[in-house]
Amino acid sequence: MKLIAFAILALAITAAAQTEVVTTAAQTSKPASSPKKKTDDTGKNPFGTESKNEGPITTEIYADEASFDSGKNVGVFSGHVKVFDPRFNLQSDKLTVYLHKGEEQGLEKAIAEGNVGVVRDRPDPNGGPPTHAVGRSEHAVYTANDGSVELTGMPKVQQGLNLHIATSSETVMVINQDGHLNTHGPSRTEIRQEPKGEKAGSPTPSPKP
């Protein structure tokens, strides 16, 4: 896949920014301490989440085409868009990114359109592995101010074995910063439980007389 090196976008962000938005044509290698994950042709996991890092947050955007309006601080990416951010990962057909103006800069809002897939992790309060919330929809809005991801366009979200599906085109699902899901509008929830299977080859007990 052709990856666009978008230098003007990096220049628009100062060292004091809280978030950096970067596109790159080079494959970015993971630190040696990072666990191995399934990767795609960019060398990254399209539906994995990164560990939290100290210091500035780096948002990487891969796309077939990109354009940036430095006057409006708006970037538009299209074609096999993939976003890798410590707070969420996302893929879509098109992505419009809005940056803060002035000294703050950094990511303000991102709007994804077409075949949207987004992943957020919900931490385990008992210290276990996080629960993945995988959302799919036709439209999604990420707001950096509160860290929420809003899904519209017949959204559905899977958390573990459970599946939450919109039953109306008006339904809105919001995955907040800590992975909790809130739904506004009609929906259907499928709660699944793995059966406690008997050991293979064990005899089936005969019914009592």
mmCIF file of all heavy atoms in Angstrom, residues 25 33 35 39 51-53 65 86 93 106-107 129 135 140-141 157 166 177 179-180 185 188:
data_model
loop_
_atom_site.group_PDB
_atom_site.id
_atom_site.type_symbol
_atom_site.label_atom_id
_atom_site.label_comp_id
_atom_site.label_asym_id
_atom_site.label_seq_id
_atom_site.Cartn_x
_atom_site.Cartn_y
_atom_site.Cartn_z
ATOM 1 N N ALA A 25 5.991 7.026 5.608
ATOM 2 C CA ALA A 25 6.081 5.978 4.606
ATOM 3 C C ALA A 25 6.931 4.825 5.090
ATOM 4 O O ALA A 25 6.982 3.783 4.467
ATOM 5 C CB ALA A 25 6.687 6.533 3.313
ATOM 6 N N SER A 33 10.403 -4.336 24.200
ATOM 7 C CA SER A 33 9.650 -4.796 25.353
ATOM 8 C C SER A 33 8.175 -4.993 25.060
ATOM 9 O O SER A 33 7.445 -5.534 25.870
ATOM 10 C CB SER A 33 9.791 -3.788 26.508
ATOM 11 O OG SER A 33 9.329 -2.515 26.088
ATOM 12 N N PRO A 35 4.754 -6.576 23.654
ATOM 13 C CA PRO A 35 4.360 -7.941 23.291
ATOM 14 C C PRO A 35 4.105 -8.059 21.819
ATOM 15 O O PRO A 35 3.677 -7.119 21.163
ATOM 16 C CB PRO A 35 3.057 -8.136 24.098
ATOM 17 C CG PRO A 35 2.547 -6.753 24.329
ATOM 18 C CD PRO A 35 3.765 -5.883 24.471
ATOM 19 N N THR A 39 0.053 -8.523 12.932
ATOM 20 C CA THR A 39 0.270 -7.285 12.208
ATOM 21 C C THR A 39 -0.302 -7.363 10.814
ATOM 22 O O THR A 39 -0.601 -8.435 10.295
ATOM 23 C CB THR A 39 1.776 -6.970 12.105
ATOM 24 O OG1 THR A 39 2.421 -8.042 11.403
ATOM 25 C CG2 THR A 39 2.394 -6.825 13.494
ATOM 26 N N SER A 51 0.276 0.419 24.677
ATOM 27 C CA SER A 51 0.391 0.733 26.090
ATOM 28 C C SER A 51 0.531 2.234 26.261
ATOM 29 O O SER A 51 0.991 2.949 25.381
ATOM 30 C CB SER A 51 1.613 0.026 26.684
ATOM 31 O OG SER A 51 2.777 0.438 26.004
ATOM 32 N N LYS A 52 0.165 2.708 27.452
ATOM 33 C CA LYS A 52 0.240 4.130 27.718
ATOM 34 C C LYS A 52 1.697 4.562 27.827
ATOM 35 O O LYS A 52 2.510 3.911 28.454
ATOM 36 C CB LYS A 52 -0.518 4.450 29.018
ATOM 37 C CG LYS A 52 -2.018 4.231 28.888
ATOM 38 C CD LYS A 52 -2.736 4.620 30.147
ATOM 39 C CE LYS A 52 -4.248 4.430 30.005
ATOM 40 N NZ LYS A 52 -4.959 4.784 31.245
ATOM 41 N N ASN A 53 2.017 5.695 27.241
ATOM 42 C CA ASN A 53 3.370 6.200 27.260
ATOM 43 C C ASN A 53 3.430 7.496 28.045
ATOM 44 O O ASN A 53 2.452 8.238 28.130
ATOM 45 C CB ASN A 53 3.865 6.445 25.828
ATOM 46 C CG ASN A 53 3.874 5.166 25.016
ATOM 47 O OD1 ASN A 53 4.297 4.135 25.496
ATOM 48 N ND2 ASN A 53 3.392 5.256 23.782
ATOM 49 N N GLU A 65 -4.034 8.453 0.349
ATOM 50 C CA GLU A 65 -3.947 9.856 -0.052
ATOM 51 C C GLU A 65 -4.190 10.748 1.162
ATOM 52 O O GLU A 65 -4.911 10.368 2.081
ATOM 53 C CB GLU A 65 -4.977 10.182 -1.145
ATOM 54 C CG GLU A 65 -4.776 9.399 -2.436
ATOM 55 C CD GLU A 65 -5.785 9.780 -3.512
ATOM 56 O OE1 GLU A 65 -6.611 10.678 -3.251
ATOM 57 O OE2 GLU A 65 -5.733 9.176 -4.596
ATOM 58 N N PRO A 86 -2.360 5.662 21.313
ATOM 59 C CA PRO A 86 -2.402 4.951 22.596
ATOM 60 C C PRO A 86 -3.797 4.893 23.213
ATOM 61 O O PRO A 86 -4.087 4.022 24.028
ATOM 62 C CB PRO A 86 -1.446 5.764 23.485
ATOM 63 C CG PRO A 86 -0.546 6.466 22.534
ATOM 64 C CD PRO A 86 -1.382 6.763 21.321
ATOM 65 N N ASP A 93 -12.620 4.263 5.624
ATOM 66 C CA ASP A 93 -12.355 4.642 4.236
ATOM 67 C C ASP A 93 -11.836 6.072 4.144
ATOM 68 O O ASP A 93 -11.016 6.394 3.285
ATOM 69 C CB ASP A 93 -13.631 4.517 3.398
ATOM 70 C CG ASP A 93 -14.111 3.079 3.279
ATOM 71 O OD1 ASP A 93 -13.278 2.160 3.415
ATOM 72 O OD2 ASP A 93 -15.322 2.876 3.066
ATOM 73 N N GLY A 106 -2.237 20.048 18.710
ATOM 74 C CA GLY A 106 -2.619 18.698 19.092
ATOM 75 C C GLY A 106 -3.977 18.327 18.534
ATOM 76 O O GLY A 106 -4.707 19.147 17.959
ATOM 77 N N LEU A 107 -4.333 17.057 18.651
ATOM 78 C CA LEU A 107 -5.577 16.536 18.097
ATOM 79 C C LEU A 107 -6.790 17.041 18.872
ATOM 80 O O LEU A 107 -6.855 16.924 20.087
ATOM 81 C CB LEU A 107 -5.537 15.003 18.119
ATOM 82 C CG LEU A 107 -6.741 14.274 17.540
ATOM 83 C CD1 LEU A 107 -6.896 14.579 16.053
ATOM 84 C CD2 LEU A 107 -6.595 12.772 17.750
ATOM 85 N N PRO A 129 -6.181 -8.946 32.411
ATOM 86 C CA PRO A 129 -6.063 -8.363 31.065
ATOM 87 C C PRO A 129 -7.265 -7.486 30.745
ATOM 88 O O PRO A 129 -8.379 -7.757 31.197
ATOM 89 C CB PRO A 129 -6.007 -9.598 30.152
ATOM 90 C CG PRO A 129 -6.644 -10.697 30.951
ATOM 91 C CD PRO A 129 -6.318 -10.409 32.373
ATOM 92 N N GLY A 135 -15.833 -1.772 18.078
ATOM 93 C CA GLY A 135 -17.018 -1.150 17.508
ATOM 94 C C GLY A 135 -16.937 -1.050 16.000
ATOM 95 O O GLY A 135 -15.858 -0.800 15.448
ATOM 96 N N ALA A 140 -18.015 7.565 12.711
ATOM 97 C CA ALA A 140 -17.529 7.649 14.087
ATOM 98 C C ALA A 140 -16.866 8.997 14.309
ATOM 99 O O ALA A 140 -16.226 9.544 13.411
ATOM 100 C CB ALA A 140 -16.537 6.530 14.389
ATOM 101 N N VAL A 141 -17.022 9.523 15.526
ATOM 102 C CA VAL A 141 -16.404 10.794 15.901
ATOM 103 C C VAL A 141 -15.632 10.590 17.191
ATOM 104 O O VAL A 141 -16.205 10.179 18.211
ATOM 105 C CB VAL A 141 -17.447 11.914 16.083
ATOM 106 C CG1 VAL A 141 -16.762 13.207 16.533
ATOM 107 C CG2 VAL A 141 -18.226 12.145 14.798
ATOM 108 N N VAL A 157 -21.245 -3.131 18.798
ATOM 109 C CA VAL A 157 -20.048 -3.193 19.628
ATOM 110 C C VAL A 157 -19.964 -4.564 20.275
ATOM 111 O O VAL A 157 -20.947 -5.051 20.841
ATOM 112 C CB VAL A 157 -20.062 -2.102 20.721
ATOM 113 C CG1 VAL A 157 -18.869 -2.268 21.663
ATOM 114 C CG2 VAL A 157 -20.050 -0.719 20.092
ATOM 115 N N ALA A 166 -27.307 -2.152 17.218
ATOM 116 C CA ALA A 166 -28.373 -1.171 17.010
ATOM 117 C C ALA A 166 -29.482 -1.788 16.168
ATOM 118 O O ALA A 166 -29.218 -2.522 15.217
ATOM 119 C CB ALA A 166 -27.811 0.065 16.321
ATOM 120 N N GLN A 177 -13.843 6.916 27.583
ATOM 121 C CA GLN A 177 -12.393 6.776 27.677
ATOM 122 C C GLN A 177 -11.948 5.498 28.383
ATOM 123 O O GLN A 177 -10.910 4.925 28.046
ATOM 124 C CB GLN A 177 -11.800 7.996 28.379
ATOM 125 C CG GLN A 177 -10.299 8.127 28.224
ATOM 126 C CD GLN A 177 -9.814 9.507 28.576
ATOM 127 O OE1 GLN A 177 -10.535 10.306 29.171
ATOM 128 N NE2 GLN A 177 -8.584 9.822 28.213
ATOM 129 N N GLY A 179 -13.595 2.682 28.349
ATOM 130 C CA GLY A 179 -14.130 1.503 27.679
ATOM 131 C C GLY A 179 -15.584 1.206 27.949
ATOM 132 O O GLY A 179 -16.123 0.240 27.402
ATOM 133 N N HIS A 180 -16.263 1.986 28.787
ATOM 134 C CA HIS A 180 -17.679 1.766 29.047
ATOM 135 C C HIS A 180 -18.513 2.166 27.830
ATOM 136 O O HIS A 180 -18.186 3.127 27.118
ATOM 137 C CB HIS A 180 -18.136 2.552 30.271
ATOM 138 C CG HIS A 180 -17.697 1.963 31.562
ATOM 139 N ND1 HIS A 180 -16.448 2.202 32.111
ATOM 140 C CD2 HIS A 180 -18.328 1.115 32.417
ATOM 141 C CE1 HIS A 180 -16.338 1.549 33.254
ATOM 142 N NE2 HIS A 180 -17.457 0.869 33.454
ATOM 143 N N GLY A 185 -30.980 4.930 22.054
ATOM 144 C CA GLY A 185 -31.819 4.450 20.967
ATOM 145 C C GLY A 185 -31.999 2.944 21.033
ATOM 146 O O GLY A 185 -31.337 2.250 21.824
ATOM 147 N N ARG A 188 -30.265 -4.261 20.455
ATOM 148 C CA ARG A 188 -30.402 -5.648 20.887
ATOM 149 C C ARG A 188 -29.064 -6.102 21.466
ATOM 150 O O ARG A 188 -28.005 -5.807 20.929
ATOM 151 C CB ARG A 188 -30.769 -6.553 19.701
ATOM 152 C CG ARG A 188 -31.000 -8.018 20.113
ATOM 153 C CD ARG A 188 -31.385 -8.898 18.926
ATOM 154 N NE ARG A 188 -30.226 -9.388 18.194
ATOM 155 C CZ ARG A 188 -29.883 -8.983 16.983
ATOM 156 N NH1 ARG A 188 -30.588 -8.051 16.363
ATOM 157 N NH2 ARG A 188 -28.816 -9.473 16.370
#
